[in-house]
């Protein structure tokens, strides 16, 4: 009986360790996605600042892909109109869906 109890506890402990390792890997993956997204935003901001210096009369509409409460990127975009500071939700069928007229 002691052998089977010990073996059961051992396998339970191994299972728990595996669950924690999987969660740690998931968190690392989320962190990496956030870093990539932030670097993309920084690059877009530098590009926009350069264009603004070259053409100060222009304005740009900014698209933001927010995170949900769990830190995952959501599947809709928020657009901010730079002139009025209004926010618009933009929902597409897919990442490759075309813009509609006047969008």
């Amino acid at each position: 009986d002691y052998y089977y109890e010990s073996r059961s506890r051992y396998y339970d402990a191994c299972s728990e360790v595996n669950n924690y390792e999987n969660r740690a890997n998931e968190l690392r993956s989320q962190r990496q996605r956030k870093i990539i997204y932030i670097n993309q935003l920084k690059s877009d901001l530098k590009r926009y600042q350069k264009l603004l210096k070259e053409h100060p009369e222009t304005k740009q509409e900014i698209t933001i892909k927010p995170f949900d409460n769990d830190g995952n990127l959501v599947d809709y975009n928020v657009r901010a109109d730079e002139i009025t500071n209004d926010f618009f939700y933009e929902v597409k069928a897919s990442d490759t869906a075309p813009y509609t007229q006047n969008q």
Side-chain angles (χ1 to χ4, degrees):
D1 285 341
Y2 291 120
Y3 168 77
Y4 290 112
E5 277 183 39
S6 298
R7 191 175 88 172
S8 177
R9 284 195 310 254
Y10 171 77
Y11 287 125
D12 289 345
C14 288
S15 176
E16 193 169 332
V17 167
N18 284 335
N19 288 338
Y20 285 120
E21 286 176 349
N22 290 339
R23 179 64 179 145
N25 288 334
E26 182 182 322
L27 291 172
R28 282 187 204 102
S29 177
Q30 287 177 4
R31 179 177 179 262
Q32 188 61 33
R33 285 194 305 268
K34 287 180 185 179
I35 289 170
I36 290 169
Y37 180 67
I38 289 169
N39 288 337
Q40 179 186 357
L41 288 176
K42 287 179 182 178
S43 173
D44 290 347
L45 182 61
K46 285 180 185 177
R47 183 173 42 95
Y48 173 66
Q49 288 171 340
K50 179 184 174 206
L51 288 171
L52 189 59
K53 284 181 184 177
E54 294 171 1
H55 306 282
E57 72 281 359
T58 61
K59 298 294 178 188
Q60 182 176 4
E61 181 178 89
I62 302 167
T63 300
I64 303 166
K65 190 177 251 323
F67 294 101
D68 64 12
N69 292 336
D70 295 326
N72 300 311
L73 288 173
V74 296
D75 58 355
Y76 62 84
N77 293 329
V78 177
R79 294 183 293 134
D81 185 328
E82 195 175 49
I83 297 171
T84 62
N85 292 326
D86 290 333
F87 287 88
F88 305 94
Y89 287 99
E90 173 185 342
V91 181
K92 299 259 182 213
S94 71
D95 289 338
T96 58
Y99 286 104
T100 58
Q101 186 176 5
N102 297 326
Q103 188 172 16

